[in-house]
Amino acid sequence: MAERTTNASSGAQAPSERENFLARAALRFTAFTERWLPDSFGFVLVGTFVVFALGLATGEPLLGRPEDAQATRGYGMVDAWGKGFWSLIQFTLQMAMIIIGGYAVAVSRPMARLIAWLATIPRTPRTAIAFTAAISMITAYLNWAFSLVFTAILAKEIARLVRGVDYRAIGAMAFLGLGTVWAQGLSGSAALQVASAESSPKAVQEVIAAGRGDGSGLIPLTETIFLWQGIAATLVVFVVAVLTAWFITPTGSRAKTAEDLGITLRPLLETTQDDAATKRRPGDWLEHSPLFTVLLFLLGLWYLVRHFASAEGHPLNALDLNTINLILILLALLLHWRPARMAAAVRDGAPAASGVLLQFPFYGGIFGMIAYTGLTSTIAGWLVNASNAFLYPALIGIYSCVLGVFVPSGGSKWVIEAPYVIDAANQLGVHQGWMVVVYDLGEASANLLQPFWMLPTLAILGLKARDIMGYTFALFLACFPTVLVAVTLFAQTL
């Protein structure tokens, strides 16, 4: 496919392409991050000792263990770190599989054709950046794991086709969905947890039941992500993010293309040898026959129909990480059609999960220092004591964002926050479901400030966290104040 040429490919900047204030600010942020920010692993190392110091400064003991080994409070900072280190091991495997499964789906031939077609739509650097931002948020609303991989591959193809696209900026836009709307979407972990008796801890259900007139310990999806106020707030953030992406796009000589960064972009739909033309042993037929692909897909589909039909309340309540992973694997099998292609896609996608495998245990240690000590309650107490019914949503949005920098796990972090967030909402008379929306939007915003969830996207693009974090920080400065205003004003309508 031939590359298109735009005016941005020339060294000089046309008058119409001179940078506006937002673009200049984004470039300055990027210059700073490229020079001073460590790689993503550095963030977790620094974050570990920031939380450690905060715990000691607020009076948490250095050492100590409760008599009950199953207790989740009463640990000293050192012991809490050790207890938490492997606490996310199941979640780590789930995340690794969701990245690999999402990659396998995104690189299948039918999906590659879709990506190649989408990449032909934008024709200038500015429209390329805004278009990628919009696609990232739309796909993240549907499924965040799929979005991480799909939009990263789309960004590479767009950068190959549209001359003059800043590869750092389009890389940041490929990640944007995870920093804005994902938690308010169909795979938002907090909303799915509180809607399901199996997923929501008993302690959380008791706090919810205390504030509901019907005595139920669950909050249905109709009172969280499907509230019209929640949908409206999400749309507002979407519009602000796309507009910001448009205005912060660097052009002309200020743009750094993939070539400038030493990255070679190959066509997505390269000519490959057809399976039928490959000389094979008779015993290889199983790997190249679609027979068992079809049978496995039908078996999995049969199970999923039964699984969703047996869900309590709404069928979406049955949607958890294991179910999402199964759907991705079955879909990837079907799209690749032949088992050999599926196996090759998994081998190619495995390196994208390497950062998760290394860093999740260390984030588990940070989680432990927050969850297994009194640090969470201390921080929450500061916020609750300073709030009232009007300010409470914005304060919890800020708190959720700050905590999300150190514990970047929407589901696990919600378990930490839910008891006191919902309890305080009950006391202040704030809508319980709205606090889930506030948590969602605040937690997602934290992803623009720390590189943990950027890892799969960065691996596919061949970039470092410091390459894109100047742009994600600029987007944070536009989107997070929008979140705080939206959650405060829409709360008054409930």
Side-chain angles (χ1 to χ4, degrees), residues 95-147:
M95 291 300 100
M97 289 303 301
I98 211 166
I99 291 165
I100 294 170
Y103 181 91
V105 170
V107 299
S108 65
R109 292 183 182 182
M111 203 61 66
R113 293 189 187 99
L114 173 61
I115 291 173
W117 173 75
L118 288 172
T120 64
I121 295 175
R123 296 185 175 277
T124 66
R126 199 176 294 279
T127 56
I129 298 297
F131 180 77
T132 304
I135 293 295
S136 177
M137 288 186 284
I138 291 170
T139 53
Y141 188 85
L142 298 175
N143 182 274
W144 63 266
F146 174 73
S147 176

Short mmCIF file of all heavy atoms in Angstrom, two decimals, residues 95-147:
data_model
loop_
_atom_site.label_atom_id
_atom_site.label_comp_id
_atom_site.label_asym_id
_atom_site.label_seq_id
_atom_site.Cartn_x
_atom_site.Cartn_y
_atom_site.Cartn_z
N MET A 95 -4.16 -10.90 33.51
CA MET A 95 -3.77 -9.76 32.70
C MET A 95 -2.85 -10.18 31.55
O MET A 95 -2.96 -9.68 30.43
CB MET A 95 -3.07 -8.71 33.56
CG MET A 95 -3.97 -8.01 34.54
SD MET A 95 -5.33 -7.11 33.75
CE MET A 95 -6.66 -8.28 33.98
N ALA A 96 -1.93 -11.09 31.84
CA ALA A 96 -1.05 -11.57 30.78
C ALA A 96 -1.85 -12.26 29.68
O ALA A 96 -1.62 -12.04 28.49
CB ALA A 96 -0.01 -12.54 31.36
N MET A 97 -2.83 -13.07 30.07
CA MET A 97 -3.65 -13.77 29.09
C MET A 97 -4.54 -12.82 28.31
O MET A 97 -4.78 -13.01 27.12
CB MET A 97 -4.49 -14.84 29.78
CG MET A 97 -3.71 -16.03 30.28
SD MET A 97 -2.75 -16.84 28.97
CE MET A 97 -4.06 -17.30 27.82
N ILE A 98 -5.02 -11.78 28.98
CA ILE A 98 -5.91 -10.85 28.29
C ILE A 98 -5.12 -10.02 27.26
O ILE A 98 -5.64 -9.68 26.19
CB ILE A 98 -6.64 -9.94 29.30
CG1 ILE A 98 -8.02 -9.55 28.78
CG2 ILE A 98 -5.84 -8.70 29.65
CD1 ILE A 98 -8.93 -8.95 29.83
N ILE A 99 -3.86 -9.74 27.56
CA ILE A 99 -3.01 -9.04 26.60
C ILE A 99 -2.69 -9.93 25.41
O ILE A 99 -2.81 -9.52 24.24
CB ILE A 99 -1.71 -8.57 27.29
CG1 ILE A 99 -2.03 -7.45 28.29
CG2 ILE A 99 -0.69 -8.09 26.27
CD1 ILE A 99 -0.90 -7.17 29.26
N ILE A 100 -2.30 -11.16 25.70
CA ILE A 100 -1.96 -12.10 24.62
C ILE A 100 -3.19 -12.43 23.79
O ILE A 100 -3.14 -12.48 22.56
CB ILE A 100 -1.33 -13.37 25.21
CG1 ILE A 100 0.03 -13.03 25.86
CG2 ILE A 100 -1.14 -14.44 24.14
CD1 ILE A 100 0.62 -14.16 26.67
N GLY A 101 -4.33 -12.65 24.47
CA GLY A 101 -5.57 -12.94 23.74
C GLY A 101 -6.01 -11.77 22.89
O GLY A 101 -6.43 -11.94 21.73
N GLY A 102 -5.92 -10.56 23.45
CA GLY A 102 -6.28 -9.37 22.68
C GLY A 102 -5.36 -9.18 21.48
O GLY A 102 -5.82 -8.80 20.40
N TYR A 103 -4.08 -9.46 21.67
CA TYR A 103 -3.13 -9.36 20.56
C TYR A 103 -3.47 -10.36 19.47
O TYR A 103 -3.48 -10.03 18.27
CB TYR A 103 -1.72 -9.60 21.07
CG TYR A 103 -0.65 -9.49 20.00
CD1 TYR A 103 -0.03 -8.28 19.74
CD2 TYR A 103 -0.28 -10.60 19.25
CE1 TYR A 103 0.94 -8.17 18.77
CE2 TYR A 103 0.70 -10.50 18.26
CZ TYR A 103 1.29 -9.29 18.02
OH TYR A 103 2.24 -9.17 17.05
N ALA A 104 -3.78 -11.60 19.88
CA ALA A 104 -4.10 -12.65 18.90
C ALA A 104 -5.33 -12.27 18.07
O ALA A 104 -5.38 -12.52 16.87
CB ALA A 104 -4.31 -13.98 19.60
N VAL A 105 -6.32 -11.67 18.72
CA VAL A 105 -7.51 -11.22 17.99
C VAL A 105 -7.14 -10.11 17.01
O VAL A 105 -7.53 -10.12 15.84
CB VAL A 105 -8.61 -10.74 18.96
CG1 VAL A 105 -9.73 -10.05 18.20
CG2 VAL A 105 -9.17 -11.93 19.75
N ALA A 106 -6.37 -9.14 17.50
CA ALA A 106 -6.09 -7.94 16.70
C ALA A 106 -5.22 -8.24 15.48
O ALA A 106 -5.34 -7.54 14.47
CB ALA A 106 -5.41 -6.89 17.57
N VAL A 107 -4.36 -9.27 15.54
CA VAL A 107 -3.48 -9.54 14.41
C VAL A 107 -4.02 -10.62 13.49
O VAL A 107 -3.34 -11.01 12.53
CB VAL A 107 -2.05 -9.95 14.89
CG1 VAL A 107 -1.42 -8.84 15.70
CG2 VAL A 107 -2.09 -11.26 15.69
N SER A 108 -5.22 -11.10 13.76
CA SER A 108 -5.82 -12.07 12.84
C SER A 108 -6.08 -11.40 11.49
O SER A 108 -6.19 -10.18 11.40
CB SER A 108 -7.13 -12.61 13.42
OG SER A 108 -8.08 -11.58 13.52
N ARG A 109 -6.17 -12.20 10.44
CA ARG A 109 -6.30 -11.63 9.09
C ARG A 109 -7.57 -10.78 8.93
O ARG A 109 -7.49 -9.68 8.38
CB ARG A 109 -6.25 -12.76 8.06
CG ARG A 109 -4.88 -13.41 7.99
CD ARG A 109 -4.79 -14.47 6.93
NE ARG A 109 -3.48 -15.11 6.92
CZ ARG A 109 -3.10 -16.04 6.07
NH1 ARG A 109 -3.95 -16.47 5.14
NH2 ARG A 109 -1.89 -16.58 6.13
N PRO A 110 -8.74 -11.22 9.40
CA PRO A 110 -9.93 -10.36 9.26
C PRO A 110 -9.77 -9.04 10.02
O PRO A 110 -10.15 -7.97 9.51
CB PRO A 110 -11.06 -11.20 9.85
CG PRO A 110 -10.59 -12.61 9.71
CD PRO A 110 -9.11 -12.56 9.92
N MET A 111 -9.21 -9.09 11.25
CA MET A 111 -9.04 -7.87 12.02
C MET A 111 -7.96 -6.99 11.41
O MET A 111 -8.07 -5.75 11.41
CB MET A 111 -8.69 -8.22 13.47
CG MET A 111 -9.01 -7.12 14.47
SD MET A 111 -10.79 -6.72 14.53
CE MET A 111 -11.46 -8.24 15.19
N ALA A 112 -6.91 -7.60 10.87
CA ALA A 112 -5.85 -6.82 10.21
C ALA A 112 -6.41 -6.06 9.01
O ALA A 112 -6.02 -4.92 8.74
CB ALA A 112 -4.71 -7.74 9.79
N ARG A 113 -7.32 -6.71 8.28
CA ARG A 113 -7.94 -6.02 7.14
C ARG A 113 -8.77 -4.83 7.62
O ARG A 113 -8.78 -3.77 6.98
CB ARG A 113 -8.81 -7.00 6.35
CG ARG A 113 -8.02 -8.10 5.64
CD ARG A 113 -8.90 -8.90 4.71
NE ARG A 113 -8.18 -10.04 4.16
CZ ARG A 113 -8.27 -11.27 4.61
NH1 ARG A 113 -9.07 -11.55 5.63
NH2 ARG A 113 -7.57 -12.26 4.05
N LEU A 114 -9.47 -5.01 8.74
CA LEU A 114 -10.25 -3.90 9.30
C LEU A 114 -9.33 -2.76 9.71
O LEU A 114 -9.60 -1.58 9.42
CB LEU A 114 -11.06 -4.38 10.50
CG LEU A 114 -11.81 -3.30 11.30
CD1 LEU A 114 -12.83 -2.59 10.42
CD2 LEU A 114 -12.48 -3.91 12.53
N ILE A 115 -8.22 -3.08 10.39
CA ILE A 115 -7.28 -2.05 10.81
C ILE A 115 -6.68 -1.34 9.60
O ILE A 115 -6.55 -0.10 9.58
CB ILE A 115 -6.16 -2.68 11.67
CG1 ILE A 115 -6.73 -3.14 13.02
CG2 ILE A 115 -5.02 -1.69 11.89
CD1 ILE A 115 -5.75 -3.91 13.87
N ALA A 116 -6.31 -2.11 8.58
CA ALA A 116 -5.73 -1.51 7.37
C ALA A 116 -6.72 -0.56 6.71
O ALA A 116 -6.32 0.50 6.19
CB ALA A 116 -5.32 -2.62 6.40
N TRP A 117 -8.00 -0.91 6.72
CA TRP A 117 -9.01 -0.01 6.14
C TRP A 117 -9.18 1.24 6.99
O TRP A 117 -9.22 2.36 6.46
CB TRP A 117 -10.34 -0.75 6.00
CG TRP A 117 -11.45 0.18 5.58
CD1 TRP A 117 -11.66 0.69 4.34
CD2 TRP A 117 -12.47 0.74 6.43
NE1 TRP A 117 -12.76 1.52 4.35
CE2 TRP A 117 -13.27 1.57 5.62
CE3 TRP A 117 -12.78 0.60 7.77
CZ2 TRP A 117 -14.37 2.26 6.13
CZ3 TRP A 117 -13.87 1.29 8.29
CH2 TRP A 117 -14.64 2.11 7.45
N LEU A 118 -9.26 1.08 8.30
CA LEU A 118 -9.41 2.23 9.18
C LEU A 118 -8.23 3.18 9.04
O LEU A 118 -8.39 4.41 9.11
CB LEU A 118 -9.53 1.78 10.64
CG LEU A 118 -10.84 1.10 11.06
CD1 LEU A 118 -10.71 0.54 12.46
CD2 LEU A 118 -12.01 2.08 10.98
N ALA A 119 -7.05 2.63 8.82
CA ALA A 119 -5.85 3.47 8.72
C ALA A 119 -5.85 4.36 7.48
O ALA A 119 -5.09 5.33 7.42
CB ALA A 119 -4.60 2.58 8.71
N THR A 120 -6.70 4.05 6.51
CA THR A 120 -6.76 4.89 5.31
C THR A 120 -7.69 6.09 5.48
O THR A 120 -7.73 6.95 4.60
CB THR A 120 -7.26 4.06 4.11
OG1 THR A 120 -8.62 3.62 4.34
CG2 THR A 120 -6.37 2.86 3.86
N ILE A 121 -8.39 6.17 6.58
CA ILE A 121 -9.37 7.26 6.76
C ILE A 121 -8.71 8.61 7.04
O ILE A 121 -8.99 9.59 6.35
CB ILE A 121 -10.39 6.89 7.86
CG1 ILE A 121 -11.23 5.69 7.42
CG2 ILE A 121 -11.28 8.09 8.18
CD1 ILE A 121 -12.19 5.18 8.47
N PRO A 122 -7.83 8.74 8.04
CA PRO A 122 -7.20 10.05 8.27
C PRO A 122 -6.19 10.38 7.19
O PRO A 122 -5.47 9.50 6.71
CB PRO A 122 -6.53 9.87 9.64
CG PRO A 122 -6.28 8.41 9.76
CD PRO A 122 -7.41 7.73 9.05
N ARG A 123 -6.10 11.66 6.82
CA ARG A 123 -5.21 12.05 5.73
C ARG A 123 -4.21 13.14 6.10
O ARG A 123 -3.39 13.53 5.28
CB ARG A 123 -6.05 12.50 4.53
CG ARG A 123 -6.91 11.38 3.97
CD ARG A 123 -7.64 11.79 2.72
NE ARG A 123 -8.35 10.65 2.13
CZ ARG A 123 -7.82 9.75 1.34
NH1 ARG A 123 -6.54 9.85 1.02
NH2 ARG A 123 -8.52 8.74 0.87
N THR A 124 -4.30 13.67 7.30
CA THR A 124 -3.33 14.66 7.76
C THR A 124 -2.88 14.27 9.16
O THR A 124 -3.57 13.51 9.86
CB THR A 124 -3.93 16.07 7.82
OG1 THR A 124 -4.95 16.10 8.85
CG2 THR A 124 -4.53 16.47 6.48
N PRO A 125 -1.72 14.75 9.61
CA PRO A 125 -1.26 14.41 10.97
C PRO A 125 -2.28 14.75 12.06
O PRO A 125 -2.49 13.97 12.98
CB PRO A 125 0.02 15.24 11.11
CG PRO A 125 0.53 15.38 9.72
CD PRO A 125 -0.70 15.52 8.86
N ARG A 126 -2.93 15.91 11.93
CA ARG A 126 -3.86 16.32 12.98
C ARG A 126 -5.08 15.40 13.02
O ARG A 126 -5.52 14.99 14.10
CB ARG A 126 -4.28 17.77 12.75
CG ARG A 126 -4.86 18.42 13.99
CD ARG A 126 -5.16 19.89 13.76
NE ARG A 126 -3.96 20.68 13.52
CZ ARG A 126 -3.16 21.12 14.48
NH1 ARG A 126 -3.43 20.83 15.74
NH2 ARG A 126 -2.10 21.84 14.18
N THR A 127 -5.65 15.08 11.86
CA THR A 127 -6.80 14.17 11.86
C THR A 127 -6.38 12.77 12.27
O THR A 127 -7.17 12.04 12.89
CB THR A 127 -7.46 14.13 10.47
OG1 THR A 127 -6.49 13.77 9.48
CG2 THR A 127 -8.08 15.47 10.12
N ALA A 128 -5.14 12.37 11.96
CA ALA A 128 -4.66 11.05 12.36
C ALA A 128 -4.61 10.93 13.89
O ALA A 128 -5.02 9.90 14.45
CB ALA A 128 -3.27 10.80 11.77
N ILE A 129 -4.13 11.97 14.54
CA ILE A 129 -4.03 11.95 16.00
C ILE A 129 -5.42 11.93 16.63
O ILE A 129 -5.72 11.13 17.54
CB ILE A 129 -3.24 13.17 16.50
CG1 ILE A 129 -1.81 13.14 15.97
CG2 ILE A 129 -3.25 13.22 18.02
CD1 ILE A 129 -0.99 11.98 16.42
N ALA A 130 -6.32 12.80 16.19
CA ALA A 130 -7.68 12.86 16.75
C ALA A 130 -8.45 11.57 16.46
O ALA A 130 -9.19 11.07 17.31
CB ALA A 130 -8.42 14.07 16.19
N PHE A 131 -8.29 11.04 15.25
CA PHE A 131 -8.98 9.80 14.88
C PHE A 131 -8.52 8.64 15.75
O PHE A 131 -9.34 7.84 16.24
CB PHE A 131 -8.69 9.50 13.41
CG PHE A 131 -9.33 8.24 12.89
CD1 PHE A 131 -10.69 8.20 12.59
CD2 PHE A 131 -8.57 7.09 12.72
CE1 PHE A 131 -11.27 7.03 12.12
CE2 PHE A 131 -9.14 5.92 12.23
CZ PHE A 131 -10.50 5.89 11.94
N THR A 132 -7.22 8.52 15.98
CA THR A 132 -6.69 7.46 16.83
C THR A 132 -7.22 7.60 18.25
O THR A 132 -7.56 6.60 18.91
CB THR A 132 -5.15 7.47 16.83
OG1 THR A 132 -4.68 7.37 15.48
CG2 THR A 132 -4.59 6.32 17.65
N ALA A 133 -7.29 8.83 18.75
CA ALA A 133 -7.82 9.07 20.09
C ALA A 133 -9.27 8.59 20.20
O ALA A 133 -9.66 7.94 21.17
CB ALA A 133 -7.72 10.55 20.44
N ALA A 134 -10.08 8.91 19.19
CA ALA A 134 -11.48 8.52 19.21
C ALA A 134 -11.64 7.00 19.16
O ALA A 134 -12.42 6.41 19.90
CB ALA A 134 -12.22 9.17 18.04
N ILE A 135 -10.89 6.34 18.27
CA ILE A 135 -10.97 4.89 18.15
C ILE A 135 -10.51 4.23 19.45
O ILE A 135 -11.10 3.24 19.91
CB ILE A 135 -10.11 4.39 16.97
CG1 ILE A 135 -10.71 4.87 15.64
CG2 ILE A 135 -10.00 2.87 16.99
CD1 ILE A 135 -12.07 4.29 15.34
N SER A 136 -9.47 4.77 20.07
CA SER A 136 -8.98 4.22 21.33
C SER A 136 -10.06 4.25 22.40
O SER A 136 -10.26 3.27 23.13
CB SER A 136 -7.75 5.01 21.80
OG SER A 136 -7.30 4.54 23.05
N MET A 137 -10.79 5.35 22.51
CA MET A 137 -11.82 5.45 23.54
C MET A 137 -13.04 4.60 23.21
O MET A 137 -13.64 3.99 24.11
CB MET A 137 -12.19 6.92 23.74
CG MET A 137 -11.10 7.73 24.44
SD MET A 137 -11.59 9.42 24.84
CE MET A 137 -11.50 10.18 23.23
N ILE A 138 -13.41 4.54 21.94
CA ILE A 138 -14.57 3.71 21.56
C ILE A 138 -14.28 2.24 21.86
O ILE A 138 -15.11 1.53 22.44
CB ILE A 138 -14.91 3.92 20.08
CG1 ILE A 138 -15.46 5.33 19.86
CG2 ILE A 138 -15.93 2.88 19.60
CD1 ILE A 138 -15.59 5.72 18.40
N THR A 139 -13.11 1.76 21.46
CA THR A 139 -12.78 0.35 21.69
C THR A 139 -12.57 0.07 23.17
O THR A 139 -12.92 -1.01 23.66
CB THR A 139 -11.53 -0.06 20.90
OG1 THR A 139 -10.45 0.84 21.18
CG2 THR A 139 -11.81 -0.05 19.40
N ALA A 140 -12.02 1.02 23.92
CA ALA A 140 -11.84 0.82 25.36
C ALA A 140 -13.17 0.74 26.08
O ALA A 140 -13.31 0.03 27.08
CB ALA A 140 -10.98 1.94 25.95
N TYR A 141 -14.15 1.48 25.59
CA TYR A 141 -15.49 1.41 26.18
C TYR A 141 -16.07 0.00 26.01
O TYR A 141 -16.76 -0.51 26.89
CB TYR A 141 -16.41 2.44 25.52
CG TYR A 141 -17.76 2.57 26.20
CD1 TYR A 141 -17.93 3.39 27.30
CD2 TYR A 141 -18.85 1.85 25.74
CE1 TYR A 141 -19.15 3.50 27.93
CE2 TYR A 141 -20.09 1.94 26.36
CZ TYR A 141 -20.24 2.77 27.46
OH TYR A 141 -21.45 2.85 28.09
N LEU A 142 -15.76 -0.63 24.89
CA LEU A 142 -16.26 -1.99 24.64
C LEU A 142 -15.46 -3.01 25.42
O LEU A 142 -16.01 -3.89 26.07
CB LEU A 142 -16.20 -2.29 23.14
CG LEU A 142 -17.06 -1.40 22.25
CD1 LEU A 142 -16.80 -1.73 20.79
CD2 LEU A 142 -18.54 -1.57 22.58
N ASN A 143 -14.13 -2.92 25.36
CA ASN A 143 -13.26 -3.83 26.10
C ASN A 143 -11.86 -3.23 26.16
O ASN A 143 -11.22 -3.02 25.12
CB ASN A 143 -13.20 -5.21 25.45
CG ASN A 143 -12.35 -6.18 26.25
OD1 ASN A 143 -11.15 -6.24 26.07
ND2 ASN A 143 -12.98 -6.94 27.12
N TRP A 144 -11.38 -2.97 27.35
CA TRP A 144 -10.12 -2.26 27.51
C TRP A 144 -8.92 -3.06 27.00
O TRP A 144 -7.98 -2.50 26.44
CB TRP A 144 -9.91 -1.86 28.96
CG TRP A 144 -9.78 -3.01 29.91
CD1 TRP A 144 -10.79 -3.57 30.64
CD2 TRP A 144 -8.60 -3.73 30.24
NE1 TRP A 144 -10.31 -4.60 31.40
CE2 TRP A 144 -8.97 -4.72 31.18
CE3 TRP A 144 -7.27 -3.64 29.86
CZ2 TRP A 144 -8.05 -5.62 31.72
CZ3 TRP A 144 -6.36 -4.54 30.39
CH2 TRP A 144 -6.74 -5.51 31.31
N ALA A 145 -8.92 -4.38 27.22
CA ALA A 145 -7.77 -5.19 26.80
C ALA A 145 -7.65 -5.22 25.28
O ALA A 145 -6.56 -5.08 24.72
CB ALA A 145 -7.90 -6.61 27.35
N PHE A 146 -8.77 -5.39 24.61
CA PHE A 146 -8.77 -5.38 23.15
C PHE A 146 -8.29 -4.03 22.63
O PHE A 146 -7.51 -3.94 21.67
CB PHE A 146 -10.16 -5.69 22.63
CG PHE A 146 -10.31 -5.56 21.14
CD1 PHE A 146 -9.76 -6.51 20.30
CD2 PHE A 146 -10.98 -4.49 20.59
CE1 PHE A 146 -9.88 -6.40 18.92
CE2 PHE A 146 -11.11 -4.36 19.21
CZ PHE A 146 -10.57 -5.32 18.38
N SER A 147 -8.71 -2.96 23.29
CA SER A 147 -8.34 -1.61 22.86
C SER A 147 -6.85 -1.39 22.92
O SER A 147 -6.26 -0.78 22.01
CB SER A 147 -9.05 -0.57 23.75
OG SER A 147 -8.65 0.74 23.41
#
